[in-house]
Amino acid sequence: QVQLVESGGGSVQAGGSLRLSCARSTVTLSNYCMAWFRQGPGKEREGVAAINRYDSVRYADSVKGRFTISRDNAKNTVYLQMNSLKPEDTAMYSCAAARALAWSLLLTPNYNNWGQGTQVTVSS
């Protein structure tokens, strides 16, 4: 089964940037739909960004223009570049994978494999 490991979280001031990574060498992640979810204090988990098997991407409205999801197939790694961070971006960020998902489901929690998460804290 797919095992995912996230890294790159940390604490930054508002306006700063972080790049999260999701990797595992046991499978080829380019054959999967991949997504980043987050859950902030007192909030429900929400889909932030997703990329499908054809490298088409979609984003939550709250992060469009600031976050970018991408793959590096040579490293078998998926990234989430986060720029212009805001305090409301503070959350535990988790990586997820599914063998196949319809376009309309990419930002929903219909994924079979989940990482343990990495904490992102943004201070004002």
Side-chain angles (χ1 to χ4, degrees):
Q1 299 185 45
V2 178
Q3 298 291 327
L4 306 173
V5 179
E6 303 99 332
S7 62
S11 182
V12 299
Q13 295 192 78
S17 298
L18 287 172
R19 187 176 72 167
L20 307 183
S21 299
C22 175
R24 198 67 179 182
S25 61
T26 55
V27 299
T28 302
L29 296 183
S30 62
N31 293 331
Y32 291 79
C33 300
M34 303 293 299
W36 289 95
F37 289 77
R38 69 184 182 186
Q39 186 169 21
K43 299 180 180 179
E44 296 183 357
R45 183 154 63 181
E46 63 175 343
V48 174
I51 184 167
N52 71 6
R53 296 170 62 192
Y54 306 102
D55 285 342
S56 296
V57 300
R58 67 185 307 171
Y59 300 94
D61 289 341
S62 59
V63 306
K64 286 181 179 177
R66 299 189 298 120
F67 290 11
T68 303
I69 188 171
S70 62
R71 302 182 191 268
D72 185 334
N73 291 336
K75 297 181 179 179
N76 204 26
T77 301
V78 176
Y79 301 99
L80 184 67
Q81 179 67 47
M82 305 185 295
N83 298 325
S84 301
L85 284 163
K86 305 174 181 179
E88 51 263 44
D89 295 320
T90 295
M92 180 70 72
Y93 285 73
S94 299
C95 181
R99 186 66 181 87
L101 283 176
W103 178 256
S104 62
L105 300 178
L106 288 177
L107 291 179
T108 70
N110 290 283
Y111 290 80
N112 304 111
N113 302 277
W114 296 81
Q116 295 301 304
T118 185
Q119 179 67 39
V120 172
T121 302
V122 184
S123 60
S124 60

